[in-house]
Amino acid sequence: MSDWITFEKGLYGVSTAFLVSPLHHGVFLEDTVIDIYTGRGGRKQMRGRGMVRNILLVDLLEDGDPLDLYLDFGEAFRFLMRDPMLQAGKVFSPNIKSIVHIYPRHPWDSLSDPKFEEIAEKVEFLSL
């Protein structure tokens, strides 16, 4: 899994992050950070976290699996993370946000700026 990680070790802030369902509904993640670190055997690994309104994430999951994560790091660094493993809190009050932990299952797909924008325009973002 580490062969595809081209970023150096460190914490990377994400300008825009959103999850998208198979029905093209989406939910924004706030304050998203990706952590590239060295794991067992000296191999690069990756994990991430962001803030989400859990109630919206539950609504998104009603569309079905898988959810895909789109990441914009700025300056033409835009990626698609297909079907990441997500771990989120279980507070479902409309006004509560909690951390969602993100772990990749597959290598990222790099996206051109026009492709990323095209996808983002098609997404219907959920809100309260």
Side-chain angles (χ1 to χ4, degrees), residues 18-29:
F18 53 92
L19 290 164
V20 178
S21 75
L23 299 179
H24 303 288
H25 293 124
V27 171
F28 284 106
L29 302 181

Side-chain angles (χ1 to χ4, degrees), residues 3-116:
D3 308 322
W4 59 271
I5 301 174
T6 58
F7 286 51
E8 294 299 319
K9 283 184 0 180
L11 288 175
Y12 295 88
V14 179
S15 299
T16 304
F18 53 92
L19 290 164
V20 178
S21 75
L23 299 179
H24 303 288
H25 293 124
V27 171
F28 284 106
L29 302 181
E30 299 174 20
D31 305 322
T32 304
V33 176
I34 299 297
D35 182 16
I36 308 297
Y37 62 99
T38 303
R40 292 184 185 186
R43 296 183 62 170
K44 276 191 208 176
Q45 296 187 12
M46 182 255 145
R47 62 185 168 218
R49 66 181 181 275
M51 298 293 291
V52 68
R53 289 194 187 276
N54 292 35
I55 194 93
L56 295 178
L57 185 55
V58 169
D59 288 346
L60 193 65
L61 287 166
E62 288 179 7
D63 284 355
D65 289 329
L67 300 180
D68 291 330
L69 177 63
Y70 291 85
L71 300 164
D72 178 1
F73 291 88
E75 297 185 26
F77 289 101
R78 293 174 164 186
F79 298 91
L80 163 59
M81 186 184 298
R82 295 185 189 279
D83 189 26
M85 182 172 48
L86 304 172
Q87 296 177 341
K90 294 178 175 53
V91 178
F92 302 116
S93 172
N95 298 320
I96 299 295
K97 294 179 191 172
S98 69
I99 292 177
V100 60
H101 295 274
I102 305 156
Y103 303 94
R105 295 182 206 254
H106 311 284
W108 296 348
D109 294 331
S110 181
L111 298 174
S112 67
D113 288 347
K115 182 67 175 173
F116 186 91

